Each structure stands twice: as structure tokens, then as C-alpha cells.
Amino acid sequence: MDLTLLYRGPLASCDYDCPYCPFAKRRDSRAQLVADRAALERFAGWAAANTGDRLSVLFTPWGEGLVRSWYRRTLVELSHLPHIRRVAIQTNLSCRTGWTAEADRDKLALWCTYHPGQTPFDRFLARCGELAEGGIRYSVGVVGLPEHLAEARRLRAALPPEVYLWINAAEGRTYTDAEAAEWAALDPLFGYSRHPHRSAGLPCRTGESVISVDGEGTVRRCHFVKAELGNLYDGSYRAALRPRACPLAVCDCHIGYVHLETLPLYDVFAGGVLERIPAPGPAWAR
């Protein structure tokens, strides 16, 4: 089967300290880093051995994964496996990009977030340029806070037109039509992020062809529904895979609502669902 896995291990440390970040940050101890590395290597071993399925993997760490050698190595190694269709990671792009030259550039992709005030603009833009020169697929985004608007406009003007700039609605923020229009001028798909999506009882691919996996191998339908479907490593999750309706009232995160069958986002992002890259066409063209 075609199976998409959203992996989030115990890593929680980050080299940035964004005040608006919804992720719970900590300073990982050496023991915690060792545990995260072991958990990731166990997951990578399972993915490498599970050749009977076609796998797509998105790493969504609480912290910044690419500053850790074991995430970079895992991405490279998985990218070369024939049954892996795509391997991607969410990142602040603070890490040097030279390691990507070792990966299969047709399979590796980065979902990059620019955090104004946490990194110099020119440094971030240079890293984007390095990815482009290396033929690595990537998208770039910004959290839609008023104080980020000028920097987001600057970034859109500096990036090649074919690079998608996404805007995430800030958590808990309500946008007036005028405010939303300013962000939509940068990201024509901002309307999907602006409001939480009513999802209760609606069909969703999570729990059927998309699953969430934590560092212990516990499988859930997605990061936002706590009910367990089984464990990856003993195979108990397999019998639980089936079509499911969403049990939550709303879904307000892209990595969740992109999988709702009532939204057209699998068509909008055809070929780039994991890395948040839209298919070429009028849906997002500027």
C-alpha cells in the first residue's frame, strides 16, 4: 500500500526561541539526545526493512532536527531506498545545506520556515539559494503576524517566483478581511490557513493511508488525535487502518487538514503534499 508516516520523536530542543512557537521547547540533556537518536534509528530501520509498502515520510520534530547529525543521515539514507517515495522534514534552515548533496534530490524535500528576528535575512536567503542550486525541492513560509509582514514581503520579492511562499495563520489570531488580503497577496492559498476547518464527522485520510508515529512506535491517526491504533514495530497498527471520520470539532494545522477529503488540497499540492509545494498551475501562481 501507499503509506504516509508523520514521525515525531522525543527531540524538543531548538536553536531558536520564537515567542509565538506553539511547540513546547526544552534544553535536551545528553541522555535525551541519545534516546532521540536511538528512537530515530529504530524508526529508520523499520522504514528501510518495510519494502512491501511504498512509503512517504515527513519528520515533524518539536525541535530543530537538522542540527543533529542523525536526522541528516537518516534523510540521506532513506532517500536512496527504492520503496521510499518522498522523505521530508520541517526545518528552520539554520543548518548548513552541504549534506543534501549526498541525498537523492528527486526524493528529498524541505519544508522551511523563516523566523524574523531569529536569523539574519541574508543568511536564510542564501541557504534557500543553496538548496535551489543543489536541485533540492523546498517551500518557504512565515507565521502571519503583523510584525512579520514587511519581512515576508521582502522574502517574496527575493525568492524565485517558482518557489512557493506559504503563510501560516498565527495560532489564536483572527484576521480581518483587509489583513487577510495582505497575506493572500503573498500566499494565494492563505484562505485555507486563515480559519480552522470544521472537521467533525468528515472523512480524512489519516488513520487509513496516513499515520502519526512517535518515538516509542505508538501509532495514532494524526498528531492531534490521541487515540492509539497500535504499535509500528509489532505490526499491531496494521489491522486498525481503515477509512475514518475526524473525531475533533475543528482542524487548524496544515499537517492535519491537508488530509481532509472534503478539501481539494491533495490536488492543489499534487506531488508535494509532504513538503507543502503546490502543483504548478493557477491555484497559487502570482
Side-chain angles (χ1 to χ4, degrees), residues 131-198:
L131 294 178
E133 290 175 7
I136 303 298
R137 289 169 56 85
Y138 71 101
S139 67
V140 176
V142 178
V143 176
L145 291 168
E147 59 267 31
H148 291 174
L149 182 58
E151 284 290 272
R153 286 171 171 162
R154 183 185 180 195
L155 186 59
R156 176 65 280 172
L159 288 169
E162 66 272 14
V163 173
Y164 175 53
L165 177 70
W166 50 264
I167 304 297
N168 267 358
E171 186 174 17
R173 184 175 184 85
T174 300
Y175 295 81
T176 66
D177 288 345
E179 290 171 335
E182 290 184 311
W183 292 112
L186 300 174
D187 174 10
L189 302 177
F190 176 69
Y192 290 110
S193 180
R194 179 184 176 185
H195 300 292
H197 295 273
R198 294 183 179 181

Side-chain angles (χ1 to χ4, degrees), residues 37-49:
R37 180 174 181 169
L40 181 64
E41 290 176 348
R42 185 185 187 193
F43 172 78
W46 175 91

